[in-house]
Amino acid sequence: MRRITELAVIISLILGVSVLLVLAASILIPGVEVRQLAFFYLYTTINPWFQNYTVNSPEAVTAIVWDYRGLDTLFETSVFYLALIAGLALARGLFSETLQGSFNEKTSGLSTIVKTVTRVTAPMIIAVGASIGLHGHLTPGGGFQGGATIAVIPLVFIVVYSAFFLIARGVTSNKMLVLRSIGLLGIGFISIATFLIGLAIGRFAYVFQNMPKPGAIVGLPADINGALISGTLWFFNLFEMIAVAAGFTIAFIILLLAGRGGSGGR
Amino acid sequence: MITSILLLIIAPLLSIFFVYMAVTEKDLLKAAAYSAGQSIAYSILLQAMSTPDIVMTYIAVSVGLYSALLVFVISKTERFER
């Protein structure tokens, strides 16, 4: 009886707050200044008749994330990187990535049916992740989403095969850290790529510049042979995808192997 | 239009139900499953608000990675809350 009363109280509270929210939303609409900013973003996201301001990307969210507000995303990626470094430092000595005793791929893990299904679906998941990531400037999605989808693969393999399967295949935390660093370095390089081109040809250019802007006519190409890449957006999504996939893989390896032997493990 | 308004009403209520079940459940594995259910309700809510970018991130992280993380953590401790 008490549970039902609690539940009724919670539901009535939620309904009350919902009514309040609906009323508030119908009265408090965003100000005119905010609307103008949104109008500017939507008007310039892809606009062939407005070449000096456009991003040439049909996906406004990716354009905002990596072009209009690119610096925020760069710092976000750096914070994720530092968090992983901290995780690795904390787990140091708690896990060892050397194969212990006799590890047999045939006998360890789940049944053959599950293993076969995993082997068939793994390339599909990678294809979906790559499509979400590399089409981030065309359709909803982007580097983080694609990378997180691809990161499901090591997780599934660890669960279905065994914790040491990936390590026997050479997927160690050190190699993933190298891949993660390549991703971050790539993002850093792309962010100054236009600036470097500007330096090389002696023209003025901004850091984190994508398309030509008034006063800075240097820019990356919007398409390669007719295929839209939106300048820096495609490269940012590619490197972010690599970085996120490798980063989540490191996290899983740490989590699954922590406490399973190692030099300082108890 | 009416469908999305209905979803905007139903999905939060569903998420409240799942949160209540997750908090009161003594079996931690079941609680993790309820937590994933709450994430699904939120995904429906976000889709009804027509934010597909956030839905993709949210589904991959909260339903997939976060639930897996919880299951790993539970496997390192006891399954039933005392």
Side-chain angles (χ1 to χ4, degrees), chain A residues 15-78:
Chain A
L15 281 175
V17 174
S18 312
V19 170
L20 267 181
L21 269 177
V22 169
L23 286 177
S26 59
I27 298 164
L28 299 169
I29 52 169
V32 179
E33 293 81 14
V34 182
R35 292 282 164 114
Q36 274 173 355
L37 187 66
F39 178 78
F40 178 76
Y41 283 154
L42 292 174
Y43 186 66
T44 55
T45 280
I46 184 159
N47 196 336
W49 300 278
F50 206 38
Q51 275 298 339
N52 275 342
Y53 283 97
T54 183
V55 189
N56 276 322
S57 163
E59 162 69 338
V61 175
T62 304
I64 290 169
V65 163
W66 278 121
D67 190 314
Y68 297 109
R69 293 277 171 272
L71 207 56
D72 291 7
T73 319
L74 180 75
F75 282 122
E76 194 189 301
T77 310
S78 314

Side-chain angles (χ1 to χ4, degrees), chain A residues 74-261:
Chain A
L74 180 75
F75 282 122
E76 194 189 301
T77 310
S78 314
V79 166
F80 186 39
Y81 183 75
L82 289 178
L84 275 171
I85 300 283
L88 275 175
L90 278 174
R92 189 170 56 98
L94 278 177
F95 69 102
S96 101
E97 293 184 319
T98 47
L99 296 176
Q100 290 156 348
S102 56
F103 166 68
N104 191 353
E105 262 183 49
K106 293 271 188 293
T107 53
S108 61
L110 302 180
S111 72
T112 318
I113 299 169
V114 185
K115 283 182 179 175
T116 313
V117 171
T118 309
R119 223 176 292 152
V120 173
T121 48
M124 294 185 204
I125 298 178
I126 291 181
V128 168
S131 135
I132 292 175
L134 300 180
H135 285 176
H137 61 296
L138 302 173
T139 51
F144 188 91
Q145 289 91 328
T149 311
I150 291 178
V152 171
I153 289 291
L155 180 68
V156 169
F157 267 78
I158 286 172
V159 171
V160 170
Y161 284 79
S162 83
F164 291 103
F165 178 80
L166 287 182
I167 289 159
R169 286 281 189 280
V171 184
T172 60
S173 66
N174 279 336
K175 278 184 190 167
M176 285 297 115
L177 199 61
V178 169
L179 212 57
R180 180 97 182 80
S181 305
I182 288 172
L184 199 69
L185 283 175
I187 290 173
F189 175 73
I190 293 298
S191 66
I192 56 168
T194 324
F195 179 68
L196 291 179
I197 293 170
L199 274 185
I201 62 169
R203 292 292 177 88
F204 183 76
Y206 298 104
V207 172
F208 251 103
Q209 190 185 340
N210 182 5
M211 292 290 144
K213 293 280 176 291
I217 55 155
V218 187
L220 291 190
D223 60 289
I224 291 180
N225 205 8
L228 195 66
I229 61 160
S230 306
T232 53
L233 297 190
W234 189 85
F235 297 102
F236 275 138
N237 276 335
L238 172 71
F239 286 120
E240 173 84 0
M241 189 176 77
I242 293 171
V244 169
F248 276 122
T249 311
I250 295 175
F252 293 139
I253 290 175
I254 294 175
L255 274 171
L256 280 156
L257 294 185
R260 294 203 188 186

Side-chain angles (χ1 to χ4, degrees), chain A residues 3 6-7 10-11 14 59 61 132 140-141 144-145 148 152 155 159 248 252 255-256 258, chain B residues 9 12-13 16-17 20-21 24 52-54 56-57 60-61 64-65 68-69 72-73 76:
Chain A
R3 269 183 82 158
E6 277 176 25
L7 209 59
I10 292 172
I11 288 176
I14 298 302
E59 162 69 338
V61 175
I132 292 175
F144 188 91
Q145 289 91 328
V152 171
L155 180 68
V159 171
F248 276 122
F252 293 139
L255 274 171
L256 280 156
Chain B
I9 294 166
L13 289 176
I16 288 294
F17 168 74
Y20 183 83
M21 294 305 284
T24 52
D53 292 84
I54 303 186
M56 277 184 186
T57 321
V61 172
L65 305 179
L69 194 82
F72 288 148
V73 173
K76 300 228 182 267

Side-chain angles (χ1 to χ4, degrees), chain B residues 2-78:
Chain B
I2 190 77
T3 327
S4 67
I5 289 174
L6 273 179
L7 283 177
L8 281 176
I9 294 166
I10 293 167
L13 289 176
L14 202 64
S15 82
I16 288 294
F17 168 74
F18 278 125
V19 167
Y20 183 83
M21 294 305 284
V23 170
T24 52
E25 181 63 57
K26 295 284 180 200
D27 185 345
L28 293 180
L29 270 182
K30 276 187 191 168
Y34 284 130
S35 170
Q38 175 261 326
S39 306
I40 290 168
Y42 270 29
S43 315
I44 296 169
L45 187 63
L46 290 169
Q47 181 63 43
M49 289 174 171
S50 61
T51 52
D53 292 84
I54 303 186
V55 172
M56 277 184 186
T57 321
Y58 197 82
I59 284 194
V61 172
S62 72
V63 182
L65 305 179
Y66 179 67
S67 306
L69 194 82
L70 279 180
V71 172
F72 288 148
V73 173
I74 292 166
S75 77
K76 300 228 182 267
T77 171
E78 290 170 1

